[in-house]
Structure formats: structure tokens, C-alpha cells
Amino acid sequence: MNRALLAEWTKLRTVRSTVAVAAGLAVVMVAGTALIIANTNVPLCAGRSPDCGTVDTTALTLSGVHFAQLAAIALAALVVGAEFQPRTIRTTLAMDPCRVRVFTAKSSVIAGTVLVGGALGVAGAMGAATVLFDDKSVTGHTATLPRAAGTVLYLVLVALLSAGVATAVRHAGGSMGAVVALLYGPYLLTTVVPLPVHTLHLLQDLAPMTAGLGTAPLGPWAGLSILTAYTLTALAIGGALFVVRDA
């Protein structure tokens, strides 16, 4: 397993596209948060008084996750899908015929890379938010550690979801499109189609993005468990197909 992990890490860090996307994850997290806060009218009392409207300064601080998740999806899709087009996966399997080990190592390297990039991005976003909120004279805006940790975990789960889908689809572009549709499709549906409140809440509870980001009525940690179920399902299907199909 150590050799398999080293091999997958070597492949990731020596390809310019994956290195650029991995670095870009943290950058777009910070830049996205800064852009959204800069263009949001935040009351001076936000974060201090419960009677100060509905502005959630913690959500604004972590709002760059909507941009960062696209980088996480792209990273996993490129790392997995690029080996199937063209069939360089055959070289990998010639060096290590144990497909379960290869799949586990590849998923672990993706998760570790996104974990580090996500943590740096969240830390940077919190720093940028502090500067911007102070510039707006808004106090009491510090993001809570559990929500910050939950955001990093969300990015890791989304990346692994993309890895599972990419392994099943065996195409980087197709898997990116499928995961983006899975994340944003239910959200767009609720904004376009008028639905009864009960149906709307049910759809939000079951949708991976709204549940995982804690914006659904279900709650943040219960929502992450829903996203975890999607991720484990994608990994199980992708891993099973990787084992039984021809390379």
C-alpha cells in the first residue's frame, strides 16, 4: 500500500494540470469568499445581535466553498479520468495488479490533497473575511471551528464522490458534468419549479449539496451524513466496476 500511495502521489504532483487545480482549490476558496463579502451589504450589527436581520456572517465567511467544490470535483476527475483516456491505467495495473489497492490508494491521495487544500483555503477565507468585515466595521463575525471543519470535510467528500463517478464513467469531462449536475440539479429545480413546502424540504434534505452544506432543514451534521452516503455509494459502484471491468 505504501508503494501504491507513493505512485499515486507521484502521478498527481508531476502533472501540471492536477497541480494547478490542487493549488487553485485554496485560491478560489479565498477569492470566492472575498468576492461575495465585498458585494454583500452586511449590517454593522451582524454577528452580534439576533435582531439584526438574517445575514449569516459565518456562511459568508465560508461562501467560497461554492467555487472551491468545483476545483475539488475537477481534481478528482482529472486524477482518475486521465488514466482511462488514453489507457495509461494499463501501465498502472501492470505494475500493481491489485485493483482494490490501486483504487484505495488513488482515492486516499485525492482525499489527502483536498484535505490540505481545503484546510488552507478555509483558513485563508477566514482571514480574508476578518479583513473585509473589519473594513465594513462589522464585528462578531468569527466563523466557528465546527463549521469551518465541516466545510473542509464537505470538500473532501465531494472530491471522493467525483472520484467514484469518474471511475465508473472512465472519462474526466463526463464525470465532472455528472457530479456538477448531481450537486446543482436539485437546487436549480427548487428555484425554478414551484413546489409544496413539504416536497421542497424533502428534496433539500436529500440533495447532496444543500444537505452537505447545512443549508437544508435537516441540519449541518445530519446533512453531511447524507452526502457521505452519496459518496460511499459512488465509491462502491466505481470500485466494483474498476475491479470487474477490462482496463
Side-chain angles (χ1 to χ4, degrees):
M1 179 56 73
N2 289 338
R3 294 181 63 184
L5 288 169
L6 179 59
E8 295 301 329
W9 169 241
T10 301
K11 285 185 282 186
L12 188 152
R13 68 179 178 82
T14 54
V15 178
R16 290 182 180 179
S17 59
T18 54
V19 171
V21 174
L25 190 154
V27 173
V28 297
M29 177 75 194
V30 178
T33 291
L35 180 65
I36 291 173
I37 293 177
N39 289 277
T40 301
N41 184 21
V42 185
L44 297 182
C45 58
R48 291 181 296 167
S49 171
D51 301 322
C52 194
T54 58
V55 175
D56 185 345
T57 55
T58 299
L60 284 175
T61 298
L62 302 173
S63 58
V65 69
H66 293 282
F67 302 94
Q69 69 177 350
L70 299 177
I73 292 168
L75 176 65
L78 288 171
V79 169
V80 175
E83 284 209 84
F84 289 102
Q85 300 290 335
R87 296 275 193 266
T88 54
I89 189 65
R90 293 175 178 174
T91 304
T92 298
L93 295 176
M95 299 300 295
D96 187 350
C98 182
R99 297 190 176 208
V100 173
R101 182 166 55 232
V102 170
F103 181 72
T104 302
K106 196 179 295 291
S107 300
S108 299
V109 168
I110 290 170
T113 303
V114 174
L115 178 64
V116 174
L120 292 174
V122 167
M126 293 172 69
T130 298
V131 173
L132 291 169
F133 281 135
D134 287 346
D135 186 59
K136 291 174 177 282
S137 299
V138 176
T139 59
H141 50 71
T142 304
T144 61
L145 183 59
R147 289 181 68 173
T151 301
V152 176
L153 178 58
Y154 172 84
L155 290 172
V156 173
L157 289 173
V158 166
L160 289 174
L161 173 65
S162 179
V165 172
T167 307
V169 175
R170 300 200 289 189
H171 189 277
S175 62
M176 280 188 269
V179 176
V180 170
L182 176 62
L183 293 180
Y184 285 95
Y187 170 76
L188 293 176
L189 179 64
T190 60
T191 59
V192 174
V193 180
L195 298 170
V197 175
H198 175 74
T199 304
L200 177 63
H201 285 181
L202 179 61
L203 186 58
Q204 290 176 336
D205 284 342
L206 297 178
M209 186 174 73
T210 53
L213 289 176
T215 56
L218 193 62
W221 296 108
L224 278 174
S225 68
I226 297 294
L227 177 59
T228 300
Y230 277 96
T231 299
L232 292 177
T233 300
L235 288 173
I237 294 174
L241 290 175
F242 182 59
V243 170
V244 302
R245 287 191 304 198
D246 292 335

